[in-house]
Amino acid sequence: MRQSHQLPLVGLLLFSLIPRQQCEICKVSKENKTALKPLVHTMISSNYTKGIQAAKVLLSLRLGGFLNQNQDQHLIEQFILTVRSTEPSLTSGQLALAILALGACKGPDGISINYSELVKKLGNKYKAEIKNMDHDGNPLTNYYQLSLDVLALCLFSGNYSVPKVAEIFKPGNKNYYFHKQFSVDTGATAVLALTCVKRSITSGQNKTDTKDLDNIDNHIKLLIRKILSQKTENGLLGNRESTGEAMQALFVSSNYYNRNQWVCQKTRNRVLKEISQGAFRMPTAAAQILPALMGKTYLDVNKDFSCVYGSDIFHISTQEPISVTPAVSASQIKVNYSVVINNAKDRIVVSVANGSVFLNVMEQAQKENAALFSFTAEETSWGPYITTVRGIKANTTDRTYWELLSNGEPLSKGAGSYVVHAGDDLEVRWSTY
Ligand code: CBY
């Protein structure tokens, strides 16, 4: 064979030896994309693309290229107004997510976004978080949100101190844990943030001490180890809800683990199976899993890169309503419900319609005995969050909250989505995390 004929062959051989990126290997193939239809459907339905809660949904739909140009323009215009009118009251993580959603890609001409102003405001909110840590090491919100802050500040050239990031994001920090249990969601977003910071240092954008770079590198390595230690038998990372962001963290740090430590196809296949069984019905849950299935991560956010517009891939209209509340049938079931404060337990048996959720039980108990069972809840992107019970208020600075349990086990769902069963022993317990 003449040398000139050999060249393409050598090229092909070399190409096949280049390890393919994990995200490429794991992304759902074109043929299997219809498996994602339920997720896109849940997210795009009009009720969940409104308000600040829509940030994660928008970010996910835009990263995945699931909107057409009209939908994108309409949703972004609406979202800008929301951000403008609510900005002062947003938490740091909410504003960070909003910036990531708006700047996920370069949208239709004619929409102008004042990034520098938003990023400056985020810088101030992040500063306030750090300041709050001076007292007892607790930020105003939590490390999940601090990670989103650093990620957005890093991607959008905001102000933050690299040595401070290297100091506070040590994997031993208590803020990565709730009740001594490592929070995979938190660890995964921290890996994404730290990876962005590391890249900005190595590309020369950010000048810093090599000691900080080494520390950040080490934090990523340890966090990846912790995430992998939460891999379950069936392939999920942590639980169903944390898997998507954990996949993103593993995609961007494939040189920190061996190929045999994570078989991403197993995780992906498990997730696809869960989707086919009706999981991820909550818009935020769908939004958290979708980017990874498209081989994307939050590090792909780039305001200067034109958005990819799908041509109505699934023919889903923004008007189509979708019900997320489980069907409630006429028959009644009895459950036990208690409020536990330290060693004092107040118990009641309530009757609710079959198919009811935890919140319905709390409402019924409150109706029957307001003195013992009164409560308040706040709407979040994961549904209602119980803030006070009998007037006692949860507080991030003291790391207190109202924990939800069923039959002695903490729930992995919120009050608005956990469907109760006859005879359940339900509990809200005053806890410290
Ligand atoms: N988002 C946030 O700030 C939340 C970050 C998060 C790590 C989040 C999980 C992960 C995520 N992807 O959003 C988180 N939970 C936090 C930080 C917290 C603490 C909130 C207080 C604070 N420091 O800011 C706290 C108190 C430890 C907490 N979560 C409590 C609870 C329980 C809520 C009970 C109540 N009072 O209503 C509960 C129900 C656990 C329990 N058994 O009591 C709980 N969390 C759950 C189940 C969850 C998951 C929700 C899953 C679902 N299907 O509804 C979760 C996704 C999430 C939301 N919590 Co917290 C974790 C998981 O299971 N993977 C930023 C914002 C901008 O979006």
Side-chain angles (χ1 to χ4, degrees), residues 93-94 97 141-142 144-145 178 183 185-186 239 241-242 288 381-382 385-386 396 401-404 410-414 433:
Q94 284 176 322
L97 268 181
T141 61
N142 54 61
Y144 183 85
Q145 299 203 27
F178 302 130
S183 160
D185 311 65
T186 307
N239 64 14
E241 278 66 37
S242 56
Q288 277 195 190
S381 58
W382 288 99
Y385 176 80
I386 308 302
T396 44
Y401 78 118
W402 285 101
E403 187 180 14
L404 310 183
L411 300 182
S412 58
K413 283 187 174 171
Y433 52 88

